[in-house]
Structure formats: structure tokens, C-alpha cells
Amino acid sequence: MNVEIKLYSISEVSEVTGVNSVTLRAWQRRYGLLVPQRTPKGHRLYSDSDITKIY
């Protein structure tokens, strides 16, 4: 069974949650609250569970 997981860019997460992208990066760096996946170029990719943590 092939299950695709939707991943969101930091700008999409910021728009959906209302949390500034700078704040999202700080939460990751300072508190380890979020641990997004990364693209080969290093861009953050957030899952639905990451978005749930933000709310």
C-alpha cells in the first residue's frame, strides 16, 4: 500500500496557522518543538502532525 503524506512549506504553515515563519524557526532551534523534514536543498517540510502541535 502506497500512502502519501502531505508536506507543507514553512510559508504554507505560517499562512495556515498565523504563526510567523521566523517564530517557527525559533521554536525549532530553541525548544525543539518542531522537527520538520528537509528537502535535499535544506528547505523545511512540515507534516499535519507538526501543524497540530502549533495549534
Side-chain angles (χ1 to χ4, degrees), residues 2-23:
N2 186 7
V3 177
E4 284 193 36
I5 298 173
K6 172 74 172 134
L7 297 174
Y8 306 89
S9 69
I10 195 166
S11 61
E12 290 173 310
V13 173
S14 179
E15 185 176 319
V16 168
T17 63
V19 178
N20 189 297
S21 59
V22 173
T23 303

Side-chain angles (χ1 to χ4, degrees), residues 20-51:
N20 189 297
S21 59
V22 173
T23 303
L24 292 171
R25 288 186 198 98
W27 287 352
Q28 178 188 351
R29 186 176 57 253
R30 293 180 188 165
Y31 311 115
L33 175 66
L34 305 168
V35 183
Q37 296 181 37
R38 297 283 187 142
T39 67
K41 291 188 177 186
H43 298 280
R44 292 167 175 85
L45 294 174
Y46 296 88
S47 66
D48 287 322
S49 66
D50 291 324
I51 292 173

